[in-house]
Amino acid sequence: MRKSRAMNASQSSVPAPRVPVATKLAYGVGSVAYGIKDNGFSTLLLLFYNQVVGLPAQMVGLAVMVALIFDAFADPVIGHLSDNTRSRWGRRHPFLYAAALPVGALYLLLWNPPRGDDTVTLVYLLVVAILVRTAISCYEVPSSALAPELSSDYHERTSILGYRYLFGWAGGMGMLLLTFGVFLAPTAQYPVGQLNPQGYRTYAVVAAVLMVVAILASALGTHRRITRLPPAPAARGTARGSLRALRNRNFLILIGAGLFANMSQGLSFALTTYFYTYLWQFPASVLLIYTLAVMAGVAVGFVIATAASRRLGKRNAAISFLLLAIPTVTAPYVLNFLGWFPDRTSPLLLPLLLASTLIATALGVGVAILGESMMSDVVEDAQARSGERTEGMFFAGSFFMKKSVSGIGIFLSGALLALAGFPEAAKPGSVETDVLNRLALGYVGLTVVCGLLAALVLTRFAITQAAHEERLARLAGATSA
């Protein structure tokens, strides 16, 4: 057993050469599938099932939250199986290929619920949401685990994961751009395009096809790297041993900080469509401009993450981004409540909101990239303690954290809508000002609390660049000895 551990350390502790850009592009493109799914869950799902299908908001939130709880059990199982799979395609790629078609088929079903009473619709939503999340986990968990295997370099990992987030966000927001601009464009029958049932069905078909293509393209594009990746351990690990690895202190700190950060981000995605439609009363065409602002913010976040990491270190850069994001996100709603923000007739309203969106998105993407890169560094931290690498298990935890963007965000958004007394099938301009103010202030309060808690928890993360490089050297020295 000790011999197998030493061999495993030897295979993974020697720093890898620079990863070619072509490999980074192929690795990143697969996250288009997750971006489409995540933006669909976060931005469209609550609006579709609540305002189009007619299911109460709190029931939609409950269904998605229950599906998220199932993920807490499914993701570690997938991670453990991925860590210990032996095949001629390595540990990760069998899962990548197997996930493609189920992801597309199940996502198509999600947007085509049967007609029936609320109970039937709720059960259908719950079951299909669980299956969609499980299928996407079969791709995303093994794919995420590839990042620390492709390179052990402190900053190269941030670059690799930057491509992953760039494609994930660009794919998801690009799909929303197409949805609001084409599928949900206003018509004579549906002047408020966001309420057009057929638009969501068309969206589902196109989204499903793109998800399948993205996953297969990533699997094929990284297939040539299989022979350079660490193989499964000589002695198959036990589930109990893999779960013990998750007790790593730095891993738990990242999960805690990520959950709070993702709660805030999930709230923003789930409620932005409501705010733009009912509070600011913008037409659907403005949502296209909003999507472009988000995409610009993603590009900025992609650039600043690595730059800030080199200057401040990953942890300090992420904390700085979190603290800067809080006032950026909440200022428009606080100032609007106080009467100090441009009203709906002012030409300044949209530019100010778009500027806030761009900056907040850049900061949020920067936090996400840095957090995932720190998760990669946890792999060697745990290896130094146990002698084993369990990337799949760590990234299963990380993926569960990311899924909280849509799960917890939709749950809290549904609860806020219910507490604010937001009506079903509401038309823009008909919702009372008091209701909109209660919704906005509840959103602001939760955003501030979640952001501050995420920053506070992250201050305890202990892996610096110097510590990481010293650990790599120590692992290599132990193997040589």
Side-chain angles (χ1 to χ4, degrees):
M1 183 65 176
R2 289 180 180 177
K3 182 178 180 180
S4 67
R5 288 182 177 181
M7 291 175 62
N8 204 31
S10 174
Q11 292 161 341
S12 56
S13 60
V14 177
R18 292 288 180 181
V19 179
V21 173
T23 300
K24 293 179 182 179
L25 290 170
Y27 176 70
V29 75
S31 60
V32 166
Y34 180 75
I36 291 174
K37 171 261 165 193
D38 199 49
N39 278 275
F41 266 65
S42 299
T43 306
L44 299 173
L45 192 68
L46 179 60
L47 184 68
F48 172 68
Y49 272 91
N50 178 221
Q51 298 295 324
V52 178
V53 178
L55 198 63
Q58 62 269 29
M59 295 180 71
V60 180
L62 177 63
V64 178
M65 187 65 184
V66 171
L68 181 65
I69 293 173
F70 271 82
D71 281 340
F73 298 95
D75 288 356
V77 172
I78 295 169
H80 174 71
L81 293 174
S82 174
D83 283 336
N84 292 279
T85 293
R86 296 178 177 84
S87 78
R88 61 190 180 93
W89 288 350
R91 295 193 288 175
R92 316 300 179 189
H93 281 73
F95 291 87
L96 309 189
Y97 288 116
L101 290 179
V103 164
L106 290 166
Y107 199 70
L108 185 62
L109 290 175
L110 182 67
W111 301 94
N112 291 273
R115 296 189 177 185
D117 59 22
D118 285 354
T119 302
V120 172
T121 305
L122 176 63
V123 172
Y124 180 89
L125 171 60
L126 176 61
V127 172
V128 177
I130 290 172
L131 293 176
V132 168
R133 287 184 172 281
T134 303
I136 202 75
S137 290
C138 287
Y139 167 75
E140 192 70 10
V141 170
S143 178
S144 297
L146 281 175
E149 295 179 338
L150 289 172
S151 176
S152 59
D153 182 79
Y154 185 80
H155 294 299
E156 183 76 348
R157 286 176 168 177
T158 304
S159 175
I160 292 169
L161 288 159
Y163 280 88
R164 184 178 190 83
Y165 274 86
L166 180 66
F167 274 100
W169 279 75
M173 299 311 298
M175 191 65 208
L176 285 184
L177 188 66
L178 182 63
T179 301
F180 289 126
V182 180
F183 308 145
L184 299 182
T187 64
Q189 185 178 1
Y190 293 99
V192 180
Q194 299 95 304
L195 304 181
N196 184 355
Q198 183 57 45
Y200 289 96
R201 298 189 189 101
T202 306
Y203 156 81
V205 173
V206 175
V209 171
L210 289 176
M211 293 168 86
V212 173
V213 171
I215 290 174
L216 290 177
S218 182
L220 291 169
T222 56
H223 194 97
R224 70 187 68 177
R225 303 285 298 188
I226 291 175
T227 56
R228 304 182 186 183
L229 301 177
R236 186 180 298 273
T238 64
R240 180 177 297 179
S242 296
L243 288 173
R244 277 200 301 268
L246 300 186
R247 298 176 185 174
N248 181 278
R249 182 175 181 271
N250 288 302
F251 168 77
L252 295 176
I253 288 169
L254 284 180
I255 290 298
L259 282 173
F260 288 121
N262 288 338
M263 285 181 200
S264 176
Q265 192 178 79
L267 278 169
S268 178
F269 275 120
L271 292 178
T272 291
T273 307
Y274 277 83
F275 288 135
Y276 268 64
T277 302
Y278 296 104
L279 177 61
W280 312 119
Q281 295 183 31
F282 288 128
S285 58
V286 171
L287 291 172
L288 299 180
I289 305 174
Y290 161 80
T291 304
L292 290 174
V294 171
M295 294 176 71
V298 172
V300 174
F302 173 73
V303 173
I304 65 174
T306 301
S309 173
R310 291 183 183 278
R311 184 173 182 84
L312 303 174
K314 297 177 186 179
R315 181 193 64 189
N316 292 340
I319 292 172
S320 299
F321 289 170
L322 283 167
L323 295 178
L324 288 172
I326 294 172
T328 304
V329 171
T330 60
Y333 303 98
V334 174
L335 294 175
N336 181 69
F337 177 76
L338 296 174
W340 299 343
F341 203 65
D343 61 28
R344 290 190 294 272
T345 63
S346 173
L348 294 175
L349 176 61
L350 183 58
L352 287 174
L353 289 174
L354 294 178
S356 171
T357 296
L358 190 155
I359 296 170
T361 301
L363 294 170
V365 170
V367 171
I369 292 173
L370 292 165
E372 203 81 341
S373 186
M374 285 187 279
M375 185 65 71
S376 296
D377 299 336
V378 170
V379 171
E380 284 84 14
D381 180 48
Q383 180 187 352
R385 300 171 189 273
S386 68
E388 297 178 350
R389 288 175 66 97
T390 52
E391 295 98 327
M393 287 297 290
F394 285 125
F395 279 91
S398 176
F399 189 44
F400 171 70
M401 175 190 68
K402 288 193 296 180
K403 286 181 179 179
S404 68
V405 170
S406 55
I408 298 177
I410 291 177
F411 175 76
L412 292 176
S413 299
L416 280 179
L417 287 166
L419 290 172
F422 201 93
E424 296 176 13
K427 295 182 179 180
S430 66
V431 182
E432 296 179 3
T433 301
D434 287 345
V435 172
L436 293 171
N437 283 338
R438 285 197 296 270
L439 181 63
L441 291 179
Y443 165 69
V444 166
L446 285 174
T447 298
V448 171
V449 170
C450 289
L452 290 176
L453 287 174
L456 179 63
V457 172
L458 199 55
T459 60
R460 311 306 297 173
F461 186 76
I463 301 177
T464 63
Q465 180 178 358
H468 174 70
E469 292 174 351
E470 180 185 352
R471 186 174 296 111
L472 289 177
R474 190 166 64 249
L475 288 169
T479 301
S480 299

